[in-house]
Amino acid sequence: MADVLPLVEARLRTALGEPDARAAVTFLGTDRIEVLRFQEGDIVRYATLGMSAQPMSEPTAVLADPVEGPRAELVLSVRSGLADTDKALRPLAVLAASPQVEGLIVAPGASLDVGEPLWPGAPFTSVLVAEPGGLVEDLELDEPLDPVRFLPLLPMTPNEAAWKRVHGAQALQERWLTNGTDLRDPSRMSVPLA
């Protein structure tokens, strides 16, 4: 079975350019997760590398299937120079390790919460997982492996996360769109939810 991660890194480089920094985090009982930083103009993107090494499996599965199951990496895009967003590396690695640690499947529409600000002073403790395919195309793998999907993360304030639990991801995204919310602003306020 081919190692997936070199293919994933090559896809990230093709889509986002050369990373200008990388950091690695290893949690007890998990594979190493790297976070790569890509700078493009005034946008900085953080992409995980390592989450897709193993397929995600249902939390109810007795044994994780080593071959079949969804694979993904996470991508966070923010405006650079407005906050110390490089401190988001560890929270991103925590989110990327969650399928191994908690046995969950990360999919579009899901909320992921780190329980603390994503970076110092951030008004966000959680993210909404958005639809893949816009920024980085899915990476097709040889059968029977599922493709690797690159899932954008949209930071949510605690109020937005609570509103999303009641009304759903689509309704929150429509609210952001209607209000012209700059989802890349690392210090933005909550969208009006009334």
Side-chain angles (χ1 to χ4, degrees):
M1 194 69 58
D3 188 2
V4 171
L5 296 184
L7 302 173
V8 171
E9 184 168 352
R11 175 57 54 93
L12 286 168
R13 287 172 184 265
T14 299
L16 304 176
E18 285 299 310
D20 65 355
R22 63 193 310 146
V25 180
T26 305
F27 302 100
L28 189 62
T30 67
D31 295 330
R32 177 174 130 137
I33 302 286
E34 286 190 89
V35 180
L36 282 57
R37 185 180 71 189
F38 301 87
Q39 185 80 39
E40 182 185 332
D42 70 336
I43 302 294
V44 62
R45 301 185 199 287
Y46 302 95
T48 62
L49 179 63
M51 182 177 169
S52 62
Q54 305 293 326
M56 295 180 274
S57 58
E58 290 290 341
T60 55
V62 177
L63 287 173
D65 189 316
V67 177
E68 293 188 33
R71 293 174 189 261
E73 295 291 353
L74 308 175
V75 181
L76 173 68
S77 300
V78 291
R79 295 202 182 287
S80 62
L82 302 175
D84 189 6
T85 56
D86 281 353
K87 295 283 195 301
L89 299 180
R90 186 167 176 74
L92 283 174
V94 167
L95 296 177
S98 60
Q100 286 182 58
V101 174
E102 299 174 35
L104 57 89
I105 292 179
V106 177
S111 298
L112 302 175
D113 196 316
V114 293
E116 61 185 35
L118 290 173
W119 51 82
F124 318 107
T125 59
S126 62
V127 293
L128 175 64
V129 181
E131 291 291 334
L135 189 60
V136 184
E137 285 183 35
D138 291 354
L139 173 64
E140 297 294 331
L141 300 173
D142 293 337
E143 291 288 337
L145 303 181
D146 284 23
V148 176
R149 302 171 85 199
F150 298 87
L151 302 171
L153 300 179
L154 308 175
M156 291 189 294
T157 66
N159 285 348
E160 290 170 339
W163 196 85
K164 181 252 174 197
R165 280 192 292 277
V166 173
H167 300 280
Q170 185 65 39
L172 178 59
Q173 289 178 302
E174 287 171 10
R175 179 70 49 129
W176 282 335
L177 193 59
T178 301
N179 284 275
T181 306
D182 180 3
L183 296 174
R184 294 176 180 168
D185 180 351
S187 55
R188 73 172 179 84
M189 304 307 286
S190 184
V191 71
L193 299 169

